[in-house]
């Protein structure tokens, strides 16, 4: 098992819009890969070229030896796709949707129960998809993508409409899938999700990949200061100044915070004074990397 | 094969669970059949009401066989007040007044109802003629026999069932294909199916099979109601309507696919289908015969697939013609299907 994905110089334009503008990356077999980027960055379009829904206008994409846009059934059987919008047959129940998709992939009927179980929809099996909640639809859509036990799974914003529990449950499902050796490629707007799940992430904007690395390396690369906070009253402001030296201090009613690039020195000093009540240490996160790279302003 | 079956099952379930679609494909046309059947079956041509004033020899001495014949078309009451009778005719309460002055038979009628006016005139002409012949004492030399050309009589239900059935099948197939295409394109299912390891033709064939199955269900219900409630009688080669329906369904599906390819939304698809199917049904004689229609209407109807389906069904299921009479309509329908499908496939898009 294991197919490599290689995208090289992918380009896709819609009229004047260069939706994808020279994207190059590869995903190793068994890797968990994340595509991040603001709305309209070109994530969905990039995925569509790899899934085989669109032929790149320039560049090449290979999944194993196959070019996906040729839609060869051997390859299609090995890929599972959840599109950004849930697409179901009208007026069928959750169970019937899974049975139908299963039949399209030549899967035995028993898989339906397994999948319902896996995405927590057993008691919704007889409900028509029109009557499912947004999050339930999304879970069903993911189950439909996994019904034939694919080697590569594409998920376009799989957790967009999920409540926190469902999100964590889905993370578990995706981890299991990935741990059994399958490749997972997902797009998401949740940075915590990418940090928690992905081996590597690519951050895109305006059709280009800005950075591509492991989440930890990206955060480290940002070289952002760490925020160390204490409960108010744990440390006098003078004592804090003495410890912090040149590092900025922010004393508010709810906490006292030192922002530093040398957390070990500060933490050692605090421990020496036994002043650790209400301690919290916040490093930079992927979200900071994302905002740093793509800016904070809204855009179309 | 499993893909074909799974898709066909999904589409069929989707159709039968859609109450609106089922209503418009089956119940709505059936309402027309019941309505038309009710209006035209129980209503003979109503009799002309005649008021006879004073003694009228030709009516009083009428031979028995003739009396029976006249009784079918005339209802005669007597009165002694000529002025009052005339007033009744004028007001439309009676259709004519008749009285005899010497050897003159005087008929006063109103032109308000032209058909009855003609009936009254014709009937009394005939009465006077036969009275004249009787007066000569000679036996009549010529006699008249009338008989309709249809095997029995093409009663109205015999005409309306094929026409309304054609309309029902045309709307079912057109709307089904159009909305199916638009909904699946808009919700992304077409793209999703494109990624499944199935050939495109299994999706198309599933839709064709489902449309044909729906058409056969419609036909069964129509014929069942026609036969059970309105005394519809099928003639010899009626099973030919099955291949006719298959060809017709392909032609109307093609129209639906074209509408679905052009339409941006489900509402637009329904609108376009309506815009095509309803005028087509009128111009194809689904609701009333086109015999008296002007030449250009007949000319337009010749290019409409429903006209050919209706003709084929009329010929085989009620006019008693042989199976071969269905061949030309079938060929026309298939040709239409091929041409329109080719156009639709040029405009086809997998997604928005
Ligand atoms: N079918 C289309 N026709 C025209 N323009 C399109 C089409 N699909 C996408 N675009 C444009 O291409 C650009 C990239 O779109 P894409 O859907 O790939 O972004 P995305 O990163 O997936 O965004 P989101 O996070 O909102 O899902 C956008 O500017 C979008 O408006
Ligand atoms: Mg997207």
């Amino acid at each position: 098992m294991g197919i490599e994905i290689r995208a090289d110089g992918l380009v896709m334009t819609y009229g004047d819009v260069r939706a994808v503008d020279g994207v190059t990356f590869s995903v190793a077999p068994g890797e968990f890969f994340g595509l991040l980027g603001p709305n309209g960055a070109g994530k969905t379009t990039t995925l569509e070229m790899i899934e085989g829904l669109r032929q790149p206008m320039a560049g090449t994409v290979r999944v194993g030896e196959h070019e996906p846009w040729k839609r060869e059934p051997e390859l299609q059987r090995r890929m599972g796709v959840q599109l950004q919008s849930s697409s179901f047959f009208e007026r069928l129940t959750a169970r019937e949707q899974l049975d139908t998709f299963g039949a399209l992939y030549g899967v035995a009927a028993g898989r339906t129960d397994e999948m319902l179980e896996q995405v927590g929809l057993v008691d919704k099996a007889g409900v028509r998809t029109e009557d499912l909640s947004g999050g339930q639809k999304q879970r069903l859509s993911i189950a439909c993508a996994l019904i034939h036990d694919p080697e590569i799974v594409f998920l376009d914003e799989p957790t967009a409409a999920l409540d926190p529990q469902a999100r964590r449950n889905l993370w578990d499902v995706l981890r299991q899938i990935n741990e059994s050796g399958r490749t997972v490629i997902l797009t998401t707007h949740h940075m915590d999700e990418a940090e928690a799940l992905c081996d590597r992430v690519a951050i895109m904007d305006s059709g280009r990949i800005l950075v591509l690395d492991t989440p930890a390396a990206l955060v480290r690369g940002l070289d952002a200061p760490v925020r160390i906070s204490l409960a108010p009253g744990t440390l006098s402001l003078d004592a804090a100044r003495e410890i912090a030296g040149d590092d900025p201090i922010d004393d508010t009613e709810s906490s006292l915070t030192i922002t530093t690039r040398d957390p070990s020195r500060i933490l050692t000093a605090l421990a020496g004074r036994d002043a650790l009540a209400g301690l919290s240490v916040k490093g930079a996160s992927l979200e900071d990397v994302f905002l740093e790279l793509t800016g904070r302003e809204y855009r179309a | 094969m499993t893909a074909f079956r799974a898709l066909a099952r999904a589409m069929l379930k989707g159709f039968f669970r859609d109450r609106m679609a089922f209503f418009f494909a089956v119940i709505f046309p059936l309402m027309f059949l019941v309505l038309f059947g009710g209006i035209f079956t129980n209503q003979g041509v109503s009799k002309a009401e005649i008021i006879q004033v004073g003694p009228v020899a030709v009516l009083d001495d009428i031979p028995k066989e003739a009396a029976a014949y006249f009784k079918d078309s005339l209802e005669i009451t007597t009165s002694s007040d000529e002025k009052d009778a005339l007033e009744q005719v004028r007001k439309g309460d009676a259709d004519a007044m008749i009285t005899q002055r010497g050897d003159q038979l005087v008929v006063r009628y109103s032109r308000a109802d032209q058909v009855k006016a003609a009936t009254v005139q014709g009937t009394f002409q005939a009465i006077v003629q036969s009275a004249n012949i009787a007066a000569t004492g000679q036996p009549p030399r010529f006699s008249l026999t009338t008989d309709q050309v249809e095997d029995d009589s093409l009663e109205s239900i015999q005409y309306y069932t094929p026409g309304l059935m054609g309309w029902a099948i045309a709307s079912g197939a057109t709307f089904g294909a159009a909305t199916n295409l638009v909904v699946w394109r808009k919700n992304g299912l077409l793209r999703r199916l494109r990624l499944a390891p199935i050939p495109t033709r299994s999706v198309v064939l599933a839709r064709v099979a489902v449309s044909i199955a729906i058409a056969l269900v419609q036909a069964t219900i129509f014929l069942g109601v026609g036969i059970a409630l309105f005394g519809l009688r099928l003639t010899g080669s009626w099973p030919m309507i099955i291949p006719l329906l298959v060809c017709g369904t392909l032609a109307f599906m093609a129209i639906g696919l074209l509408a679905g390819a052009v339409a941006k939304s489900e509402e637009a698809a329904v609108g376009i289908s309506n815009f095509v199917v309803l005028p087509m049904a009128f111009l194809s004689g689904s609701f009333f015969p086109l015999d008296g229609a002007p030449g250009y209407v007949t000319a337009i109807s010749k290019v409409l697939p429903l006209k050919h389906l209706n003709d084929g069904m009329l010929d085989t299921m009620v006019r008693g013609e042989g199976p071969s009479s269905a061949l030309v309509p079938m060929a026309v329908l298939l040709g239409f299907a091929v041409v329109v499908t080719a156009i639709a496939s040029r405009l086809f898009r997998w997604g928005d």
Side-chain angles (χ1 to χ4, degrees):
Chain A
M1 177 149 57
I3 335 175
E4 192 188 16
I5 297 167
R6 271 170 297 133
D8 193 5
L10 295 184
V11 173
M12 177 62 62
T13 60
Y14 301 110
D16 295 341
V17 183
R18 292 184 79 79
V20 174
D21 192 8
V23 162
T24 301
F25 65 93
S26 59
V27 181
E31 196 174 349
F32 205 127
F33 189 85
L35 266 180
L36 313 181
N39 293 134
K43 305 179 295 295
T44 299
T45 309
T46 303
L47 277 191
E48 285 173 346
M49 285 187 275
I50 304 173
E51 293 157 355
L53 279 174
R54 295 182 191 278
Q55 182 180 358
M57 289 180 170
T60 55
V61 54
R62 287 264 151 69
V63 178
E65 290 312 305
H66 304 272
E67 290 186 280
W69 53 267
K70 291 184 177 159
R71 304 201 295 128
E72 292 153 288
E74 309 91 275
L75 179 62
Q76 289 181 322
R77 262 188 280 276
R78 300 167 78 177
M79 302 201 299
V81 177
Q82 181 234 352
L83 299 175
Q84 188 164 359
S85 63
S86 308
S87 28
F88 296 118
F89 296 91
E90 318 90 274
R91 292 173 285 281
L92 294 198
T93 65
R95 168 180 298 284
E96 288 166 338
Q97 304 281 1
L98 284 166
D99 284 342
T100 307
F101 276 106
L104 298 184
Y105 286 87
V107 170
R111 272 291 279 179
T112 295
D113 289 306
E114 224 174 290
M115 292 316 304
L116 286 170
E117 180 92 39
Q118 198 165 29
V119 297
L121 287 176
V122 175
D123 51 344
K124 296 287 174 191
V127 176
R128 291 194 195 167
T129 34
E130 288 86 352
D131 299 332
L132 293 177
S133 77
Q136 291 164 345
K137 272 190 204 136
Q138 206 153 9
R139 273 139 69 187
L140 181 62
S141 173
I142 291 161
C144 290
L146 299 177
I147 186 92
H148 57 294
D149 203 3
E151 289 167 49
I152 307 179
V153 184
F154 296 92
L155 304 163
D156 200 350
E157 298 190 25
T159 59
L162 300 190
D163 64 38
Q165 284 90 342
R167 209 147 76 86
R168 295 305 165 112
N169 288 341
L170 186 68
W171 288 8
D172 291 340
V173 172
L174 296 182
R175 275 204 198 95
Q176 281 167 29
I177 291 170
N178 182 238
E179 273 157 19
S180 64
R182 276 148 246 273
T183 310
V184 180
I185 301 187
L186 62 69
T187 73
T188 180
H189 289 293
H190 297 289
M191 298 301 138
D192 56 336
E193 185 165 293
E195 253 178 316
L197 295 173
C198 295
D199 298 322
R200 285 190 308 149
V201 299
I203 298 182
M204 289 186 74
D205 198 5
S206 311
R208 294 169 173 277
I209 293 184
L210 304 176
V211 293
L212 194 166
D213 211 330
T214 63
L218 289 175
V219 173
R220 245 182 279 121
L222 193 60
D223 193 24
V226 173
R227 290 160 56 84
I228 297 168
S229 304
L230 298 168
T234 315
L235 199 65
S236 73
L237 193 56
D238 288 339
R241 286 220 176 88
E242 196 179 311
I243 292 173
D246 288 342
D247 291 334
I249 295 170
D250 187 18
D251 190 17
T252 68
E253 302 226 331
S254 58
S255 66
L256 184 144
T257 304
I258 303 172
T259 307
T260 179
R261 290 179 186 278
D262 190 3
S264 51
R265 181 177 59 82
I266 307 279
L267 287 170
T268 315
L270 287 174
R273 291 179 184 235
D274 197 18
L276 295 175
L279 175 76
S280 89
V281 181
K282 283 202 187 106
S285 67
L286 198 56
E287 189 144 348
D288 298 305
V289 178
F290 183 85
L291 291 173
E292 173 83 17
L293 285 168
T294 61
R296 283 162 188 268
E297 74 278 15
Y298 280 116
R299 52 184 119 185
Chain B
M1 195 58 203
T2 43
F4 165 81
R5 248 185 292 146
L7 288 169
R9 191 178 306 137
M11 288 172 185
L12 265 183
K13 280 182 181 165
F15 172 76
F16 282 107
R17 287 176 188 176
D18 184 354
R19 296 221 185 91
M20 281 308 267
F22 187 78
F23 174 83
F24 277 109
V26 177
I27 310 294
F28 187 57
L30 213 53
M31 281 164 53
F32 274 71
L33 183 71
V34 172
L35 209 66
F36 282 27
I39 292 172
F40 296 109
T41 313
N42 302 332
Q43 175 203 40
V45 177
S46 64
K47 296 178 183 178
E49 283 171 40
I50 310 292
I51 305 175
Q52 177 187 344
V53 181
V56 176
V58 285
L59 284 181
D60 297 337
D61 310 342
I62 209 159
K64 234 180 162 189
E65 320 82 70
Y69 172 73
F70 291 131
K71 250 212 242 142
D72 281 346
S73 53
L74 302 182
E75 174 142 1
I76 298 173
T77 53
T78 51
S79 159
S80 54
D81 185 346
E82 188 173 331
K83 252 179 84 185
D84 175 63
L86 215 55
E87 191 55 32
Q88 285 194 45
V89 174
R90 212 167 260 132
K91 282 197 296 194
D93 295 340
D95 295 301
M97 180 217 85
I98 181 164
T99 187
Q100 192 172 3
R101 304 210 175 104
D103 281 347
Q104 281 263 323
L105 195 65
V106 179
V107 177
R108 307 286 306 270
Y109 63 90
S110 158
R111 295 246 350 133
D113 184 335
Q114 304 208 0
V115 176
K116 291 224 179 93
T119 311
V120 168
Q121 285 189 68
T123 309
F124 283 104
Q125 289 281 3
I127 291 175
V128 173
Q129 296 287 355
S130 52
N132 282 338
I133 291 166
T136 65
Q138 298 276 335
R141 188 154 150 217
F142 299 105
S143 67
L144 177 69
T145 316
T146 58
D147 201 0
Q148 274 178 277
V149 291
E150 289 83 13
D151 65 333
D152 199 349
S153 68
L154 197 56
E155 282 166 24
S156 46
I157 190 68
Q158 303 287 96
Y159 179 84
Y160 283 113
T161 310
L164 290 173
M165 197 162 107
W167 169 54
I169 280 153
S171 18
T174 309
F175 282 71
T179 52
N180 195 168
L181 181 55
V182 173
V183 169
W184 284 18
R185 189 179 68 227
K186 289 210 78 70
N187 76 4
L189 192 57
L190 278 185
R191 281 148 52 84
R192 181 66 187 78
L193 290 176
R194 207 163 179 229
L195 293 178
I198 53 167
T200 306
R201 72 170 173 277
S202 52
V203 184
V204 178
L205 287 179
R207 184 65 236 179
V208 169
V210 165
S211 289
I212 290 175
I214 292 172
L216 293 178
V217 169
Q218 288 173 303
T220 310
I221 294 177
F222 252 82
L223 296 184
V225 170
I227 291 169
L229 298 186
F230 303 112
L232 173 72
R233 271 158 292 124
L234 297 178
T235 54
S237 49
W238 71 268
M240 282 307 284
I241 64 173
I242 294 171
L244 269 168
L245 287 182
V246 171
C247 298
T249 304
L250 291 173
F252 303 126
M253 259 191 77
I255 298 178
L257 291 177
L258 184 57
V262 174
K264 297 261 187 294
S265 67
E266 193 180 352
E267 290 75 20
V270 170
I272 295 173
S273 304
N274 252 325
F275 185 75
V276 174
V277 171
L278 212 55
M280 176 170 75
F282 275 102
L283 291 173
S284 304
S286 273
F287 302 123
F288 46 76
L290 291 178
D291 304 336
Y296 71 91
V297 172
T298 329
I300 295 174
S301 76
K302 290 246 164 61
V303 301
L304 299 175
L306 184 52
K307 168 71 175 158
H308 296 274
L309 177 64
N310 285 348
D311 281 353
M313 291 201 299
L314 270 171
D315 283 349
T316 51
M317 69 185 258
V318 295
R319 285 209 178 106
E321 304 212 359
S324 59
S325 63
L327 295 181
V328 172
M330 279 165 60
V332 174
L333 289 168
L334 285 181
F336 186 91
V338 169
V339 171
V340 177
T341 305
I343 299 171
S345 65
R346 296 217 137 215
L347 299 171
F348 174 83
R349 289 158 291 151
W350 283 97
D352 283 318

